[in-house]
């Protein structure tokens, strides 16, 4: 596996029951930061979920460092992380349990970096709270603190600034800029 991550989307097709979202999409992403822009309903979240392995293509291939999102699903998922904007999954867990579950899946996560980001986002004290009881902003910060501590080669952040206060936006901008410059991550 080379130093620089690469994502190759080849002839991607994806369809919902009522509409086709992608037909023959080809796309290549390299290291650094890629901003995905478009009006609501144009498929940005769907593309991020496809890139993260949360959705499977109807046709075509998505490869991260040569690993196919469909045929090498587990290895692919271990190298990528999707930070969504939805209500919390596993909402019966406390924030600490939610973090520990993910840290168990990504064993080479950097716990020191996680702690620093929990502090920087001012949420180091929410570990005992149920994830279901967190505000949108708290949950987003929890996801982002985790995402920034993971060794993921492909980091996908849906609506990164949604629900964040001004101070949290600054923390995130600084962290993403630093990671993008390191050239060993593909951030979308």
């Amino acid at each position: 596996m080379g130093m620089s991550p690469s994502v190759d989307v080849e002839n991607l097709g994806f369809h919902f029951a009522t509409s086709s979202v992608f037909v023959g999409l080809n796309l290549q992403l390299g290291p650094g930061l890629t901003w995905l822009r478009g009006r609501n309903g144009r498929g940005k979240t769907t593309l991020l979920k496809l890139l993260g392995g949360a959705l499977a293509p109807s046709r075509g291939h998505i490869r991260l460092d040569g690993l196919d999102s469909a045929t090498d699903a587990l290895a692919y998922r271990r190298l990528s992380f999707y930070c969504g904007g939805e209500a919390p999954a596993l909402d019966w867990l406390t924030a600490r349990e939610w973090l520990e579950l993910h840290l168990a899946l990504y064993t080479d996560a950097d716990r020191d970096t996680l702690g620093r980001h929990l502090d920087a986002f001012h949420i180091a004290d929410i570990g005992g709270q149920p994830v279901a009881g967190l505000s949108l902003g708290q949950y987003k910060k929890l996801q982002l603190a985790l995402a920034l501590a993971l060794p993921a080669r492909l980091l996908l952040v849906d609506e990164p600034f949604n629900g964040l206060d001004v101070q949290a936006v600054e923390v995130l901008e600084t962290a993403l800029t630093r990671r993008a410059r390191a050239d060993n991550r593909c951030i979308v």
Side-chain angles (χ1 to χ4, degrees):
M1 196 182 311
M3 270 309 292
S4 294
S6 68
V7 179
D8 295 293
V9 176
E10 181 188 314
N11 196 28
L12 178 69
F14 185 79
H15 316 281
F16 287 116
T18 53
S19 64
S20 294
V21 184
F22 299 109
V23 179
L25 176 68
N26 293 295
L27 181 67
Q28 289 185 310
L29 301 169
L33 190 56
T34 301
W35 289 101
L36 199 54
R37 292 176 25 194
R39 294 200 306 274
N40 288 346
R42 295 292 185 186
K44 296 181 301 295
T45 295
T46 301
L47 181 58
L48 290 175
K49 286 183 174 182
L50 284 159
L51 290 171
L55 292 175
S58 309
R59 63 172 301 167
H61 297 278
I62 300 172
R63 294 185 185 92
L64 169 57
D65 295 342
L67 294 170
D68 190 282
S69 67
T71 56
D72 308 306
L74 188 57
Y76 183 101
R77 296 280 300 264
R78 287 214 165 132
L79 292 180
S80 62
F81 187 74
Y82 170 74
C83 185
E86 299 97 352
L90 311 171
D91 61 2
W92 62 90
L93 298 175
T94 64
R96 187 176 300 104
E97 290 167 338
W98 186 91
L99 286 172
E100 288 299 332
L101 177 69
H102 286 84
L103 292 170
L105 296 171
Y106 296 89
T107 50
D108 40 1
D110 185 335
R111 286 175 178 267
D112 291 338
T113 298
L114 174 60
R116 277 199 306 278
H117 283 101
L118 291 171
D119 283 338
F121 283 130
H122 300 297
I123 55 165
D125 59 344
I126 67 167
Q129 294 182 37
V131 176
L134 301 179
S135 70
L136 169 67
Q138 287 174 316
Y139 182 58
K140 187 74 170 210
K141 291 174 186 178
L142 184 70
Q143 282 189 310
L144 290 167
L146 174 66
L148 294 167
L150 296 179
R153 305 266 293 163
L154 174 60
L155 177 57
L156 306 151
V157 188
D158 200 359
E159 298 193 0
F161 304 113
N162 192 27
L164 296 184
D165 52 66
V166 174
Q167 184 268 337
V169 167
E170 285 178 19
V171 169
L172 180 58
E173 283 178 340
T174 303
L176 288 178
T177 302
R178 192 169 53 247
R179 283 197 121 189
R181 276 200 206 111
D183 227 34
N184 61 349
R185 306 263 189 277
C186 177
I187 304 167
V188 184

